[in-house]
Amino acid sequence: MNFADLGLSDELLRAVNESGYTEPTPIQANAIPSVLMMRDLIGIAQTGTGKTASFVLPMIDILAHGRSRARMPRSLILEPTRELAAQVAENFEKYGKYHKLSMALLIGGVSMGDQMAALEKGVDVLIATPGRLMDLFGRGKILLTGCDLLVIDEADRMLDMGFIPDIEEICTKLPKNRQTLLFSATMPPPIKKLADKFLSNPKQIEVARPASANLSITQWVVETSAPKKRDTLRGLLGAADVTSAVIFCNRKTTVRELNKSLKRSGFKSGEIHGDMDQSQRLAELDLFKKGEVNVLVASDVAARGLDIKGVSHVFNFDAPWHPDDYVHRIGRTGRAGATGVAFTLVTSEDAENIDNIEKLTGHKIARYDGVTSAADAQEARDGEAEGKPAAKPRSRGGRKPKAAADAPLVEAAEAAAPVAKSEARPAREARAPREERPAREPRPAREARPPREERAPRPDRTERDVPRPRRGRERDADQEADDGWNGPMPAFLDVTLGR
């Protein structure tokens, strides 16, 4: 099947051929005829399957007949982010270059005066984000009563960003007799409820199982640790055949820090996140599309809908918190029939996130067995296919684990070890019991010293050499007499001094 079989006009087919496309993708082949028949449609398709062209192409032919009026757009396309809205506008310019259709882009970060001026002239296609559209509608600057065709793109992303109440209010302001197209990668209950409320007998097209990952993308989980994540990423970027890559982080601060680190390591990298204004983000995307930078570090603001050709690799520096984000992140590669590779760096804290992703996608993601080189991993797999013995497992620290057969030898060695040790040093003689030990001879008693009065005075000792008695010690009788009374003893004392 080719595009000519879908009922498109010659001018549109000419623009499609000049864009390099010859055969429609499955979602395009199924959706375009139904849209041309003015039916409501629910399209469930993986990201990167050509979903945007499946509603842009038939809309151009439908809007070719009719005339626009001031402040009353004829069709409305709702997108969750400014980047997605800008890309849809690019598609209209590319495919509608042989049609005289007017278009306006109503998004934040762009001068509102220019947008209001375009609306005053009248537009055939209004591409808007819900927030900016509700702002202008509240000011009375836009009317939706003449809008006969509504497209709700990336509905599940709208749900994640909290836009469902705004979409419901917008739907109530459009004519009831309109055509509504809803596209989503997944179909959670709130989106199903929205479709049941605002779509009339829609045709549902599902080209792949909901939330399944693109089969043209080779997916790997790379186990690492938080301190080694940057080294692991640099190793993958250097080893893999990376022509252009998008690296996703969960936080804006991580995006900035990782981009600086990659630049210091010599990589041509750029960044895009929510803290940048619209002009900065568009400038970074333009550099990436031109190839002036081949590595783009991004937050989830860029995860959905970015249609950039030639992205060979996607790296999840952080495992996504929500499983749906994983599908949309890796969908930046392997687009429109091309193949791609997606690596997700996983630490021990990410086990639950990976389990949820595998439950959603319905398959186990292979574990990458060689961070240093993709060729090494392929060589290992080739060796296993040829029947070569696998490398022996090693325990932590690089030591080989002991085989079970060696256990008896180890036990014998351990049993013999104490014996050898005891033989090396002679044992000491046992000491005899206490009662058997010979009694020690008693020491000879010292001779008793004679009393002080019997000692002979030293002949060489003068009167000056005699020590004076210390306070608190007893004094002998001679000293008592010398210090006492010098006259005759009084009778009433009745004391006889003895020597």
Side-chain angles (χ1 to χ4, degrees):
M1 178 182 288
N2 52 41
F3 282 101
D5 300 327
L6 302 180
L8 299 173
S9 64
D10 293 340
E11 293 83 2
L12 193 56
L13 291 174
R14 179 183 173 188
V16 171
N17 291 332
E18 290 177 356
S19 300
Y21 299 107
T22 56
E23 296 182 359
T25 63
I27 183 66
Q28 294 167 358
N30 285 275
I32 290 175
S34 298
V35 176
L36 291 173
M37 294 172 61
M38 307 303 293
R39 287 197 60 179
D40 284 4
L41 179 73
I42 297 176
I44 303 174
Q46 303 172 33
T47 184
T49 55
K51 170 175 55 65
T52 302
S54 67
F55 63 82
V56 168
L57 294 177
M59 283 181 67
I60 291 174
D61 270 353
I62 292 173
L63 297 172
H65 309 284
R67 185 171 60 88
S68 61
R69 290 179 288 178
R71 294 194 297 175
M72 295 182 65
R74 297 174 59 201
S75 64
L76 173 63
I77 301 175
L78 293 176
E79 296 288 345
T81 65
R82 295 174 284 188
E83 287 75 21
L84 283 171
Q87 288 190 3
V88 173
E90 291 177 2
N91 275 263
F92 266 102
E93 292 177 352
K94 178 171 61 175
Y95 298 127
K97 59 182 178 181
Y98 298 114
H99 290 76
K100 296 180 180 180
L101 295 177
S102 57
M103 177 186 62
L105 191 60
L106 196 59
I107 59 177
V110 180
S111 172
M112 187 176 291
D114 296 339
Q115 296 172 351
M116 292 173 59
L119 289 173
E120 288 290 341
K121 297 178 182 178
V123 294
D124 296 301
V125 182
L126 177 62
I127 307 169
T129 52
R132 179 54 68 93
L133 179 62
M134 292 298 296
D135 187 8
L136 281 186
F137 189 88
R139 300 185 185 190
K141 303 297 183 179
I142 188 172
L143 298 173
L144 300 176
T145 53
C147 184
D148 296 324
L149 178 56
L150 171 65
V151 179
I152 303 173
D153 194 18
E154 298 282 355
D156 51 352
R157 182 64 169 168
M158 297 278 199
L159 174 64
D160 294 341
M161 298 178 70
F163 285 145
I164 297 301
D166 290 341
I167 293 175
E168 291 179 345
E169 185 173 354
I170 291 169
C171 288
T172 59
K173 302 182 184 306
L174 273 68
K176 292 185 177 180
N177 188 21
R178 67 175 186 275
Q179 183 181 11
T180 304
L181 314 177
L182 185 146
F183 292 89
S184 182
T186 61
M187 188 58 66
I191 301 302
K192 181 68 168 59
K193 182 179 179 181
L194 179 70
D196 292 341
K197 184 176 181 180
F198 294 106
L199 274 69
S200 176
N201 190 26
K203 179 180 180 179
Q204 181 164 326
I205 299 172
E206 185 175 346
V207 298
R209 190 174 58 81
S212 62
N214 195 327
L215 299 179
S216 63
I217 302 173
T218 303
Q219 302 172 56
W220 295 101
V221 162
V222 182
E223 296 179 349
T224 182
S225 61
K228 296 181 179 179
K229 285 178 75 173
R230 291 186 183 181
D231 291 336
T232 302
L233 176 64
R234 284 191 288 264
L236 290 169
L237 287 171
D241 186 17
V242 178
T243 57
S244 63
V246 181
I247 303 173
F248 287 105
C249 307
N250 289 343
R251 294 181 174 88
K252 293 175 284 189
T253 54
T254 309
V255 172
R256 291 190 289 263
E257 294 170 358
L258 182 59
N259 181 39
K260 293 178 182 177
S261 175
L262 291 175
K263 285 183 175 180
R264 287 194 299 266
S265 300
F267 292 95
K268 296 188 298 181
S269 64
E271 66 184 61
I272 178 173
H273 52 78
D275 283 347
M276 302 169 64
D277 58 39
Q278 183 68 4
S279 59
Q280 290 175 318
R281 291 156 72 176
L282 293 176
E284 288 287 331
L285 286 174
D286 190 49
L287 292 175
F288 187 66
K289 291 179 180 180
K290 292 179 179 178
E292 296 183 22
V293 298
N294 68 333
V295 176
L296 184 65
V297 188
S299 61
D300 279 315
V301 70
R304 300 184 183 231
L306 286 183
D307 189 9
I308 303 173
K309 293 182 180 180
V311 176
S312 62
H313 290 71
V314 167
F315 295 90
N316 290 312
F317 185 76
D318 296 321
W321 291 318
H322 302 291
D324 288 345
D325 289 337
Y326 175 82
V327 177
H328 293 286
R329 283 182 179 186
I330 69 171
R332 299 313 101 210
T333 185
R335 302 179 70 85
T339 59
V341 183
F343 290 96
T344 301
L345 276 60
V346 176
T347 66
S348 58
E349 299 176 353
D350 299 320
E352 184 178 355
N353 294 341
I354 296 300
D355 289 341
N356 293 334
I357 291 170
E358 291 176 338
K359 289 177 183 178
L360 181 71
T361 58
H363 77 280
K364 183 80 172 177
I365 305 175
R367 267 53 180 175
Y368 193 63
D369 52 3
V371 176
T372 56
S373 172
D376 294 341
Q378 185 61 42
E379 182 180 352
R381 290 190 292 272
D382 294 342
E384 293 177 0
E386 295 174 2
K388 295 181 181 179
K392 294 182 180 180
R394 291 181 178 267
S395 61
R396 292 184 178 179
R399 296 181 180 178
K400 294 183 179 180
K402 297 173 182 176
D406 296 338
L409 299 177
V410 174
E411 293 176 359
E414 292 176 351
V419 175
K421 187 176 181 181
S422 64
E423 291 176 355
R425 181 182 296 178
R428 296 180 179 178
E429 296 180 0
R431 299 180 65 182
R434 184 176 296 274
E435 59 272 10
E436 297 178 4
R437 299 176 189 172
R440 295 180 178 178
E441 297 180 359
R443 293 180 179 179
R446 295 182 178 180
E447 297 180 357
R449 300 180 67 183
R452 183 178 294 272
E453 59 271 14
E454 298 179 2
R455 298 177 190 173
R458 293 176 61 179
D460 57 345
R461 194 166 185 175
T462 62
E463 184 177 355
R464 178 177 293 183
D465 295 331
V466 177
R468 304 181 67 179
R470 295 182 181 178
R471 183 178 299 176
R473 296 180 63 182
E474 293 183 358
R475 293 175 292 184
D476 54 30
D478 293 336
Q479 291 173 333
E480 290 280 359
D482 292 340
D483 294 336
W485 178 260
N486 292 326
M489 182 65 60
F492 64 87
L493 291 178
D494 194 16
V495 174
T496 301
L497 298 176
R499 301 290 299 173

